[in-house]
Amino acid sequence: MASNDIELEGTAHPIPRVGALVTPAEGSNQHNDIEPEEGRQEFSLPPVDGGKDAWLFLAACFAIEALVWGFPFAFGVFQDYYSTHEPFAGSPNVAVIGTCAMGIMYLTAPLMMGFCRLFNRWALWTSILGLFIMCISLAMSSFSTTITHLIATQGILYALGGGIAYCPCILYMDEWFVRRKGLAYGIMWSGTGLAGVVLPLLLEWLLHSFGFRTTLRLWSCLLFVLTFPLAFFIKPRLPHSANSHVKPFDPSMFMVPTFWLYQLANVVEATGFFLPGIYLPTYARSALGAASYSSATTVLLVNVASVFGCVAMGWFIDRFHVTTCILLSTIGATVGALVIWGLSSSLGLLYFFCIVYGLFAGSYTSAWPGIMSDVVRKGEAAGKGYIDPSMVFGWLAAGRGIGNVVSGPLSENLIRGLSWKGDTSAFGYGSGYGSLIVFTGVTALLGGTSFIWRRLGML
């Protein structure tokens, strides 16, 4: 985000001298702080956009991102196991577990951000608290005997813990990175893509080797061992007093039309974004006759490509206007869905679509730092005062959560009866998944409408 994001930065230190800071009481003497007078008490803060502390913070956020979000993104492995093994075989609502885990983390983001701002002094410890809740929820889920138990533990309780643990990563990112903010967010969010490659393979091996009870207990212990030390690196750069002017749950952003234009596109894009990840393996098996391993490779390719897409988009967002970056993501995702997937006639061409979709659609959320910056800037220009960028993120995440929750039942209606299935499935459109492909492409296209609004002078 631009320098307007963190106006509190200027209250803490002069921008040209990023590394050295003085206490607010000494602000009038900050130009003489190279040679401090005897008896003056000084302190310095770590530099922004670089240095050991900033990169350790980012590395910890990357790992937390991967472990918190990677598990629900890998739920398809558990869904397949629960559906075919006792005591849950044949039980309805297995998919609700994964929907709760991911959807609640998205939907509760504004609430989590607001409470962390409200109790700013204690936000430092929320990562440890959230990670503890996650580990407890997974351990409890290993004793489940019904789907309801799993929904309550592996779904709802895990999501609440994950949301609490993840919140400080967003709150403090604006303090550690200013000019490289987009790149930092892109690197952090690429952790989900990497976890989406590693965790499904690991969890599938554990499930078939030890069963779900031992797997959940092992993962609970492993999660604690991996994340507990990292939580101590997720800390603020600025003193608590620097954020005292930030008002949690401030409704000012809702008075800014810019926010609603971005949010509408964000929700529409999200309703189609998750569908390929759900249906690509099934499509590869049913339409192209792929083997089990070959069909699972489709999702792995999407996740691998999204790692590079997130980092690249983060680099772009620091240099170009956010609507230009969103347009780039939109073009790639739309062409990938409507042309490459829609006309796919072989497994190789489907794999190519997976790479394209992961690169472009997978990088859409990495444009959020630019949206946050634009909303903050437009809000200040409209006289709405300071808008907390972390709360903008929270509401963008909630919008994506709406799309995530809606996309599940909507997709079932799209493929019910395979209404587009023709006499031949030589192409994706005639495979019975044609309506799903079109819906994915159209929502990706509408997700880029912010570029048009800007051209019309509405942004």
Side-chain angles (χ1 to χ4, degrees):
M1 295 164 65
S3 58
N4 287 343
D5 303 356
I6 308 298
E7 292 296 339
L8 56 89
E9 191 90 52
T11 67
H13 66 284
I15 293 298
R17 300 182 61 256
V18 174
L21 304 175
V22 296
T23 58
E26 299 165 330
S28 61
N29 297 323
Q30 61 187 2
H31 295 291
N32 299 320
D33 61 358
I34 298 177
E35 298 291 339
E37 299 175 5
E38 187 176 355
R40 282 176 54 188
Q41 181 180 2
E42 286 200 3
F43 68 91
S44 62
L45 296 181
V48 294
D49 293 314
K52 174 178 66 69
D53 293 300
W55 293 120
L56 284 174
F57 169 81
L58 183 58
C61 289
F62 173 87
I64 295 296
E65 169 82 21
L67 295 170
V68 169
W69 287 95
F71 188 77
F73 268 95
F75 178 75
V77 176
F78 280 95
Q79 181 173 335
D80 181 61
Y81 183 89
Y82 291 151
S83 300
T84 56
H85 291 75
E86 294 297 335
F88 311 112
S91 300
N93 300 323
V94 174
V96 176
I97 305 169
T99 301
C100 285
M102 193 179 301
I104 290 176
M105 277 203 287
Y106 275 128
L107 291 170
T108 58
L111 191 64
M112 299 298 180
M113 296 293 169
F115 277 118
C116 280
R117 282 297 193 205
L118 188 63
F119 304 102
N120 187 46
R121 185 174 298 275
W122 306 103
L124 171 65
W125 305 103
T126 55
S127 286
I128 297 175
L129 174 62
L131 293 170
F132 180 75
I133 294 174
M134 289 167 57
C135 294
I136 292 296
S137 70
L138 293 176
M140 290 173 61
S141 64
S142 69
F143 296 97
S144 299
T145 56
T146 66
I147 292 296
T148 303
H149 295 161
L150 289 174
I151 292 173
T153 53
Q154 192 175 347
I156 298 173
L157 188 59
Y158 178 90
L160 293 175
I164 294 171
Y166 183 64
C167 182
C169 297
I170 302 300
L171 286 181
Y172 300 146
M173 186 68 75
D174 288 346
E175 298 182 11
W176 286 102
F177 292 90
V178 178
R179 295 178 181 87
R180 295 180 177 177
K181 191 183 305 295
L183 178 62
Y185 273 110
I187 292 174
M188 180 179 71
W189 286 332
S190 69
T192 300
L194 183 62
V197 176
V198 177
L199 289 188
L201 300 176
L202 174 62
L203 292 173
E204 185 166 8
W205 176 77
L206 288 173
L207 284 169
H208 288 90
S209 299
F210 304 105
F212 87 96
R213 299 189 190 278
T214 302
T215 296
L216 288 170
R217 291 164 190 168
L218 285 174
W219 182 247
S220 175
C221 296
L222 185 60
L223 184 66
F224 179 82
V225 171
L226 292 175
T227 57
F228 187 76
L230 295 173
F232 291 96
F233 293 103
I234 301 177
K235 56 187 179 182
R237 175 179 167 272
L238 302 176
H240 300 300
S241 58
N243 293 312
S244 60
H245 69 292
V246 179
K247 300 177 181 178
F249 305 112
D250 187 353
S252 297
M253 87 172 76
F254 302 125
M255 309 297 179
V256 181
T258 298
F259 168 76
W260 291 110
L261 292 175
Y262 282 124
Q263 180 72 307
L264 179 60
N266 176 56
V267 173
V268 171
E269 191 272 346
T271 58
F273 168 76
F274 297 96
L275 301 184
I278 297 173
Y279 288 100
L280 275 173
T282 306
Y283 171 83
R285 283 196 301 268
S286 62
L288 301 177
S292 178
Y293 176 79
S294 298
S295 60
T297 303
T298 56
V299 177
L300 297 182
L301 287 174
V302 171
N303 290 329
V304 169
S306 71
V307 173
F308 299 96
C310 285
V311 176
M313 180 61 76
W315 185 87
F316 281 121
I317 208 70
D318 287 330
R319 289 161 176 79
F320 303 101
H321 193 274
V322 59
T323 56
T324 303
C325 297
I326 290 176
L327 178 66
L328 178 64
S329 172
T330 298
I331 292 174
T334 304
V335 172
L338 297 181
V339 178
I340 304 175
W341 190 11
L343 300 178
S344 62
S345 56
S346 65
L347 193 59
L349 195 57
L350 184 64
Y351 284 166
F352 178 57
F353 159 72
C354 294
I355 295 172
V356 171
Y357 193 78
L359 277 172
F360 291 95
S363 66
Y364 186 88
T365 54
S366 290
W368 283 3
I371 296 177
M372 294 152 64
S373 174
D374 203 25
V375 171
V376 171
R377 185 168 54 251
K378 296 293 177 55
E380 291 178 345
K384 304 300 181 183
Y386 179 76
I387 295 176
D388 184 6
S390 65
M391 290 303 298
V392 179
F393 166 86
W395 287 107
L396 289 173
R400 197 163 184 80
I402 294 173
N404 172 256
V405 172
V406 169
S407 64
L410 182 62
S411 64
E412 294 179 2
N413 291 325
L414 288 172
I415 64 171
R416 181 173 296 166
L418 302 178
S419 57
W420 284 38
K421 189 172 180 63
D423 296 331
T424 175
S425 60
F427 300 113
Y429 288 121
S431 64
Y433 291 83
S435 56
L436 192 77
I437 294 171
V438 170
F439 184 80
T440 301
V442 170
T443 53
L445 178 64
L446 294 177
T449 51
S450 58
F451 183 83
I452 299 175
W453 305 143
R454 187 187 176 207
R455 287 291 175 267
L456 294 175
M458 299 174 66
L459 276 180

